[in-house]
Amino acid sequence: MIKLIASDMDGTLLDAHMSISSENAKAIRLANEAGIEFMVATGRNYQEARAALDEVGINCAMITLNGAQVFDKTGNSLFTVPIPTIQIMTILDILDENNIYYEVSTNQGLYSESQAKRIESFASMIGDHLPHLTYKMAIAMASANLELLHINYVENIRELLQDKTLEVLKVICFHIEGPRILGPVSKAISQLGNLAVTSSGQNNIEVNHKNAQKGIAMAQIAHDRGISLENVMAIGDNFNDISMLQAAGVSFAMGNAEIEIKEHAKYITDTNLESGVGKAILRAISEDL
């Protein structure tokens, strides 16, 4: 019997409006009533993830930044998995050499060196998840997203790294040409060692410590709750979801997931535009998966 459900957000739990549909919210509440804990496992930081959950009154534990930081349902940070500062410097060197925009998520907030590039890059990510949107609509959504977040804009992120209390948890990188530019960069960063380089869309790569993965964090949470992984269900749509799809006893790939992602899941549900998460939850309960 399923006792814990971990769901990705972008391209999975969130719909065309970057919100949680009423069908998804209803299914989550039904799961909770049945004694099944629901949590999100996302590449987003705490603030980004919390905003969508608050809209529908869902309060749950959260795996954020791909597993680099985990929170309980009251918002207390349980643990972090940072990237060593010396590696961060090398990563930023590689990104600057290739003229790639990046943001750095830390234990003290999210940092960027350009608001304009932030909006452009986030619009590209939205367009990747929601291809029916026009570029103008994606820009509007990206601009609105900024109002929900506290992003720290600085002239030089490297100067921040002199602060010994600051932990870098994730670096997310964007380029409009996608794999053509990001592919070689991803390979170069991977060769630095002890890093997990994944993606939540065609136009980005996400860099974490190798131990900061959704599957590892999900397994740790299940262990702490005395739940076997056989009784854990995971739902996702992209490459940063593979580790948890592989670890969970029951795994669902979204209908809009990449073909490679579907190969790692035991079941396929509908798309994020069709409340696929809610339907997967109801199926798991009704069929006692």
Side-chain angles (χ1 to χ4, degrees), residues 138-248:
I139 287 289
M141 289 184 69
S143 299
N145 176 267
L146 288 180
E147 298 178 4
L148 302 174
L149 301 177
H150 179 65
I151 303 175
N152 303 290
Y153 293 100
V154 297
E155 290 187 10
N156 192 328
I157 287 177
R158 283 178 174 77
E159 293 181 1
L160 298 174
L161 302 181
Q162 306 305 316
D163 181 352
K164 302 302 182 182
T165 67
L166 184 140
E167 295 180 331
V168 175
L169 305 178
K170 186 182 85 165
V171 180
I172 185 168
C173 326
F174 298 90
H175 199 285
I176 195 168
E177 294 186 43
R180 189 183 77 80
I181 299 296
L182 295 177
V185 169
S186 175
K187 183 177 181 180
I189 294 175
S190 295
Q191 290 175 343
L192 298 178
N194 295 318
L195 297 171
V197 183
T198 58
S199 172
S200 59
Q202 289 292 316
N203 297 327
N204 74 56
I205 56 174
E206 303 180 3
V207 185
N208 292 89
H209 188 278
K210 69 174 183 178
N211 292 329
Q213 298 187 53
K214 292 182 182 182
I216 295 174
M218 183 187 71
Q220 181 62 53
I221 290 169
H223 178 269
D224 291 345
R225 285 158 170 68
I227 299 173
S228 167
L229 285 172
E230 293 180 357
N231 301 122
V232 176
M233 172 174 157
I235 315 170
D237 78 304
N238 225 309
F239 293 97
N240 60 347
D241 300 317
I242 290 177
S243 63
M244 68 175 182
L245 293 177
Q246 291 177 328

Side-chain angles (χ1 to χ4, degrees), residues 32 36-40 46 50 53-54 57-63 70-78 221 225:
N32 288 337
I36 302 170
E37 180 180 359
F38 175 86
M39 66 184 305
V40 294
Y46 181 83
R50 186 73 265 160
L53 293 166
D54 286 344
I58 293 175
N59 189 32
C60 63
M62 292 189 284
I63 296 170
V70 175
F71 296 86
D72 64 19
K73 65 187 303 181
T74 61
N76 295 313
S77 178
L78 300 180
I221 290 169
R225 285 158 170 68

Side-chain angles (χ1 to χ4, degrees), residues 16-35:
H17 303 289
M18 306 300 280
S19 298
I20 300 172
S21 71
S22 59
E23 185 175 348
N24 282 345
K26 183 178 180 180
I28 291 169
R29 293 190 180 95
L30 181 63
N32 288 337
E33 290 169 4

Side-chain angles (χ1 to χ4, degrees), residues 10 14 49 59 61 63 118 148 155 223 227 234 250 266-267 283:
D10 293 283
L14 304 183
N59 189 32
I63 296 170
R118 209 285 168 175
L148 302 174
E155 290 187 10
H223 178 269
I227 299 173
V250 176
K266 293 183 178 179
Y267 305 98
R283 179 180 175 185

